[in-house]
Each structure stands twice: as C-alpha cells, then as structure tokens.
Amino acid sequence: MADIPHTSNWINGQYASQTPTTITVLNPAIEKPLATINATSQETVNEIVTTSLHTFQTSAWRQTDASVRFSILSKAATLLRARINDFVALETAQTGRPIREMRTQLSRVPEWLEYFASLARVHEGRVTPFKGAVINTLTRVPLGVVVLITPYNHPLLIAMKKIGAALAAGNVVIAKPSELAPLSVLRLGPLFQEAGLPDGVLQIVSGYGRDTGRYLCEHPRVSKIDLTGGIATYRAIAPIAAMNMVPITAELGGKAPVCLFPSLEVEVAVKAALFAGFIASGQTCVTGSRLLVHKDLYESFRDLLEKRVRALRIGDPTDEKTQIGAVISQAAVERSAAFVDRALQDGGKLLCGGNATTNSEGKGFFFEPTIIETHARSDLACKEVFGPVIALVKCESEEEIVQVANDTSYALGASVWTNNFAQAHRVAEKIEAGIVWINGHHLNDPSSPWGGFKESGLGKENGVEAYESYTKVKSTVINYGVAPVWFDDEVSEARYG
C-alpha cells in the first residue's frame, strides 16, 4: 500500500497527519485503489469540534461584512471553474460515473457558490409593524459549528450545495464526505484557502459514516446537522440530535414516479424514461425508478424502451462513448441483484438486463440497466434500489397514475410527461412530492429549493430556504417613546407587553 497516495483531513488550514488506521478508496470501475484516507477517531472528532467552536467564537468570519463573504466565495467559484477538469477526472475515477455525465454536471457546480455568495450580499432583514414608539429589527445571525454529511453519488455537487449556504451565512463548517468517494471534497480545502477563507472556517473530516459521521452528529456542541443519506442513518442520529436540541436538515432518498401520458410522442416518452432512470446508473435520490405508463401508451412504449435499453453502452467511465458506468461497490451490485430476484419471485417480467457484469478483465462493479414489468405494490415498485433497476407499471387511467405515484413512503421527486397543458397542471398539483417536474426530470438550480416530504426528509437544500436554515433570527427591540413608569406612584400611559 506504500505506493498509494494518502489524503488526510483538512484541518485549520492544512492537511493533518495520517491516522494509524486508514481507509482505502477504490475506483469502482476497475477495483483498484485510488488513495487512502484517514479513519478519524472519536477523540480526534472531539478535538476538531472544540477547535472549530473556538474558531467560530473568536474568528471574524461570523461578523465579516457580507461584501467580503461575497468576494471570497465568488473567488472560490472562479478557482473551481478554472480547475474543473481536474475535478471531473477525480469524480469519474472515484464514482465510476461516465465522464460525459461528470463533465456536464460539474461544469455547473461553481454556480452554487456564486448564488450563495450573491444571496449573502443582498439578503435583507426586516422591520416588524411593532405597536407604539418602538422599532423592532429582525436580523439573521449564523448558527455556529455545523456538520455536513455528504454521500458518494454526487460528491462535489451535494457538498457544494451545503458548504456554499453554510459559509455564506457565516458559520464554521465541518464537512464529512462519504468514505466511498471523498477525494474531490478533501481537495476543496486548499482551494478555499487560496480564495481567502480564514483557516479553520472549513474543516473536512474523513472516516466511516458509522463511526466518524456518528461521532460528529452526536457531539453536543454542534449547532446543526445537514445530512444526505438513508432513513436508517437519520433514525440513528435523530434521537441524539433531539436530546442536544440540534436541528437537522435531512435529504433521505426517494422513489420518484415518472408519469407518462398518451398525448406524448412515444419516442419522447422513452427518452424521458432513459434520462430519469439511468443517469448515474440509477444512483440518485430522484432516480425515475417507477415508470407509470398510461394503458394507451403502454405497448408501444414498452417495446421501444426495451430496444433502447438493450442498446445502452455500459463500460469504461473514461470513454466518451460510455453511457452507463459502474455502481459504487460490490454491495451495490448485490443490492441490485437482490431487487431483481425479489421482483421475479413476485411475478415480475424481466424485459432486459438483470445481471451483474464486469469489464473485459473481469473487474469492476457493473450492473446491466434493467427494466422489469411489475405491479404497483411490488417491492421493486415501492422501495429504493439506488441502482439501475427500474419498475415498469401499466396504469389504466390518470387517476390510477396519481394514486400509484402517491402510494409509497417517499415523496422527494416526481415528473409528469404530457402534451396536455391542463392535465400537466392537474396531475402535478395532486402528486405528493417536494419537487414535481413537468416534461423534465433531474432539473436542478441553486435557486430552486430541493427536499422532500414523508420519509424523503426534512428541510431544503438550495434557495433562500437553505441559506436561512443556516441562520437564526435575532429580534432587536428599540424603544424610543415608551416610558418605564409601571411602578410610579401615579401611573400614566404605562405599557405592559
């Protein structure tokens, strides 16, 4: 392992020492080590949180003028954009996603820094209509030390959603990327330092989620937890956070329905399904993993979909022609295979795919893009796979599509595809989801709030909502005409409340 590079935690403006125990990060497409990272202990986590709290209390960052925050975060965006090709190569290697996907996605990531930088610059307080000779100002102040837990599927994008908002609001940030794909996030430390961010304001800590992530979330001195992960992770940390009175933003996954109506051309419907279902090999929280197809479109749609899926090019993520890359790990392969097995036992019909595969050397964590005809209450149609295994469900009517779309415990994203304007609005209004796209899917913007209902989570990423969630409202009441006469012998015009 001596020839494998090591990337340590970024703490107080420098890379820390290597820990005695390390974690190997694999390239999932070829099963070869990319680097090792620190497995951060509870003792070290406690030291980092204590140091970060001291930084928050003593550093000028929380009181830095908004124009300065704007300048630093804008410069970080400029630096990131100039080096984006390096990040594209790194993200492709650590996630196994096709380079054509990563190049397109990462080209937009600097926009999140620019958006939150600008929002910090223009965000305004309020003056309430307080009765009498009193002025009441409402201002937003930073929370303190915030912990960000980010996943492996979109390492840089999701980290930047959280980091941008948290720094813009004046907090000290501790980011903990997934141990499966942490390298691009760990590389952000020097970039922000170069942009002028004071040392210690952004700490980046690596380790196993079950250990390092839990230690961070359980620490009583953190002021907020922002988690993207699974419902089991949320349920593990929520009781401790509640005991410590720490607010949580949680983005916990989904089972997004793709609602396809017969006014749509079949070629467009199939393209919609391919994009919704197989971007990132199905490893997104809004993967269109339930294709709910109206009976009048179903037969022609199914036939063309099968043809198109069979033709998808799966293989080397660094090849510009590759359309489907690897999944993140052997566990992801086995999870996808288990869903296929259960779906077939449940009476599903396999149209295409369904098998694990490898590269020409017998290496890599790949799973064929898979379509299974099934019923609306099947395990495959109701539970999150997080892999390229898609449920195809035939529906008799618009009403049934809406009913099936809403009949899961998830409610993050959904898309409605139709050329009928009235139907588009009617169905979108009835669907229970935090994000409903009409004639689109996976569309994202830093200004657009992102978050779900039910078991898909709490709170929002993106937008003013995210920025404000990293602040607390302070009410300052300025009395310029109400005299404190309550306990005078002869009380006149006394005011209580």
Side-chain angles (χ1 to χ4, degrees):
M1 300 285 283
D3 58 338
I4 301 172
H6 180 82
T7 304
S8 288
N9 296 341
W10 176 261
I11 304 297
N12 298 330
Q14 61 184 349
Y15 285 111
S17 301
Q18 180 174 327
T19 52
T21 303
T22 61
I23 301 167
T24 301
V25 181
L26 289 180
N27 180 325
I30 56 176
E31 297 185 57
K32 290 185 178 180
L34 283 170
T36 58
I37 58 171
N38 286 5
T40 307
S41 68
Q42 186 168 17
E43 180 182 6
T44 302
V45 164
N46 291 341
E47 292 172 357
I48 292 169
V49 174
T50 299
T51 299
S52 299
L53 182 62
H54 178 74
T55 298
F56 177 73
Q57 293 169 340
T58 60
S59 169
W61 182 249
R62 66 173 177 167
Q63 296 177 325
T64 297
D65 190 84
S67 63
V68 176
R69 289 185 205 160
F70 167 82
S71 297
I72 290 173
L73 296 181
S74 296
K75 184 174 181 181
T78 299
L79 293 172
L80 179 58
R81 185 171 282 113
R83 299 166 191 175
I84 206 67
N85 287 339
D86 293 338
F87 282 93
V88 167
L90 187 54
E91 291 264 282
T92 300
Q94 70 178 353
T95 66
R97 291 179 57 185
I99 194 167
R100 59 192 285 174
E101 281 186 17
M102 301 317 305
R103 184 176 293 117
T104 301
Q105 183 185 82
L106 267 58
S107 68
R108 293 202 60 206
V109 169
E111 294 177 30
W112 267 260
L113 281 175
E114 291 166 340
Y115 172 81
F116 285 114
S118 300
L119 188 56
R121 185 69 181 90
V122 303
H123 195 278
E124 297 176 353
R126 291 193 293 127
V127 177
T128 72
F130 206 106
K131 184 176 181 179
V134 177
I135 294 174
N136 180 195
T137 63
L138 303 183
T139 54
R140 289 191 171 270
V141 296
L143 296 174
V145 177
V146 300
V147 169
L148 316 180
I149 308 293
T150 64
Y152 63 78
N153 57 332
H154 307 294
L156 197 63
L157 172 62
I158 294 178
M160 202 58 71
K161 283 183 176 183
K162 303 178 191 298
I163 290 171
L167 290 179
N171 298 282
V172 168
V173 171
I174 304 176
K176 192 275 172 195
S178 168
E179 64 272 20
L180 296 174
L183 302 177
S184 57
V185 179
L186 285 164
R187 189 174 288 189
L188 290 175
L191 185 147
F192 276 95
Q193 185 181 60
E194 185 178 344
L197 188 70
D199 291 345
V201 172
L202 174 62
Q203 317 273 50
I204 308 173
V205 180
S206 62
Y208 291 111
R210 65 179 182 267
D211 298 324
T212 304
R214 179 167 57 87
Y215 302 149
L216 285 166
C217 292
E218 290 178 352
H219 198 287
R221 301 305 299 275
V222 303
S223 296
K224 178 183 171 69
I225 300 165
D226 193 335
L227 161 72
T228 297
I231 186 69
T233 303
Y234 170 77
R235 287 174 174 160
I237 67 172
I240 301 298
M243 187 180 301
N244 293 334
M245 297 190 70
V246 176
I248 300 178
T249 294
E251 204 269 68
L252 303 176
K255 191 69 183 175
V258 181
C259 306
L260 298 160
F261 291 96
S263 63
L264 202 65
E265 299 84 355
V266 66
E267 293 82 4
V268 175
V270 168
K271 289 179 180 179
L274 293 174
F275 179 63
F278 294 121
I279 286 291
S281 295
Q283 298 172 115
T284 80
C285 50
V286 293
T287 292
S289 54
R290 292 186 291 159
L291 307 179
L292 310 184
V293 187
H294 192 281
K295 64 177 182 179
D296 294 341
L297 178 65
Y298 188 83
E299 300 299 331
S300 59
F301 172 84
R302 179 191 60 193
D303 294 344
L304 183 57
L305 177 67
E306 179 182 348
K307 179 180 179 181
R308 288 293 309 273
V309 172
R310 288 183 181 277
L312 291 174
R313 296 185 295 274
I314 182 170
D316 179 3
T318 64
D319 187 336
E320 296 283 354
K321 294 182 179 180
T322 295
Q323 295 170 305
I324 304 291
V327 292
I328 194 66
S329 65
Q330 181 61 29
V333 171
E334 293 170 359
R335 185 175 63 245
S336 297
F339 267 96
V340 172
D341 290 343
R342 288 195 297 271
L344 297 182
Q345 293 169 12
D346 198 24
K349 179 182 178 182
L350 180 67
L351 294 184
C352 52
N355 300 301
T357 186
T358 63
N359 62 19
S360 60
E361 298 177 353
K363 295 291 186 179
F365 308 127
F366 294 90
F367 201 86
E368 295 173 342
T370 302
I371 302 291
I372 299 177
E373 284 186 296
T374 187
H375 60 87
R377 294 305 304 155
S378 67
D379 183 69
L380 177 61
C382 295
K383 295 182 180 178
E384 186 174 40
V385 180
F386 226 68
V389 183
I390 308 301
L392 175 60
V393 179
K394 181 179 180 179
C395 297
E396 296 296 312
S397 64
E398 175 185 309
E399 291 73 22
E400 184 181 3
I401 287 177
V402 171
Q403 184 269 321
V404 173
N406 291 336
D407 194 20
T408 74
S409 60
Y410 295 106
L412 178 56
S415 60
V416 178
W417 296 81
T418 177
N419 288 327
N420 183 321
F421 180 83
Q423 182 179 59
H425 285 272
R426 184 170 63 241
V427 173
E429 183 179 5
K430 294 177 182 177
I431 287 179
E432 299 169 0
I435 312 159
V436 180
W437 294 283
I438 295 175
N439 293 341
H441 205 99
H442 286 292
L443 299 174
N444 193 7
D445 191 87
S447 66
S448 178
W450 181 285
F453 308 146
K454 298 195 280 191
E455 289 187 6
S456 284
L458 303 167
K460 301 292 183 183
E461 295 178 328
N462 295 352
V464 176
E465 289 80 1
Y467 174 82
E468 292 186 345
S469 77
Y470 282 100
T471 67
K472 50 194 175 186
V473 177
K474 183 174 184 178
S475 183
T476 303
V477 182
I478 306 164
N479 173 22
Y480 65 93
V482 179
V485 297
W486 188 263
F487 289 105
D488 288 0
D489 290 337
E490 295 182 8
V491 176
S492 175
E493 298 183 0
R495 176 171 172 172
Y496 183 81

